[in-house]
Amino acid sequence: MTFKEAARKWHGDRLDALDAGHATRLFTRLKRDTFPVLGKLGLSVITPTDVLAIVLRVEARGSLAASSSISARSTVCHRAWLGRA
């Protein structure tokens, strides 16, 4: 399973529990910042260094809140689905 597949499933499973605005912001961050780098990678090959590279790139553009969210959500998606890959 790729990171993008896992993240889409993870997000879809939580839509009912999320405020619509928050769900949109969350998925937009995944599409803009995470999918281009991790999207096609299999879950078993993603390392903390891969996630850190994305976080640092987002921080460099001044989006500190987004970088924190990306780090947290990437880790949650990865952990939630790694055993199911």
Side-chain angles (χ1 to χ4, degrees):
M1 175 176 282
T2 67
F3 180 85
K4 187 174 186 177
E5 292 168 338
R8 284 182 179 274
K9 173 76 171 124
W10 174 85
H11 186 262
D13 288 349
R14 283 150 186 78
L15 281 177
D16 290 341
L18 297 173
D19 170 85
H22 180 68
T24 299
R25 283 188 304 277
L26 175 60
F27 199 72
T28 297
R29 288 177 181 158
L30 285 168
K31 287 192 315 187
R32 180 185 57 219
D33 299 310
T34 310
F35 290 168
V37 178
L38 301 180
K40 293 182 180 179
L41 295 178
L43 293 176
S44 62
V45 301
I46 296 171
T47 67
T49 303
D50 296 325
V51 176
L52 179 60
I54 296 167
V55 170
L56 293 175
R57 190 178 78 228
V58 172
E59 283 182 356
R61 73 170 191 243
S63 299
L64 299 180
S67 69
S68 176
S69 175
I70 289 166
S71 176
R73 299 306 173 243
S74 295
T75 300
V76 167
C77 290
H78 188 251
R79 286 182 182 163
W81 291 98
L82 185 57
R84 301 176 192 187

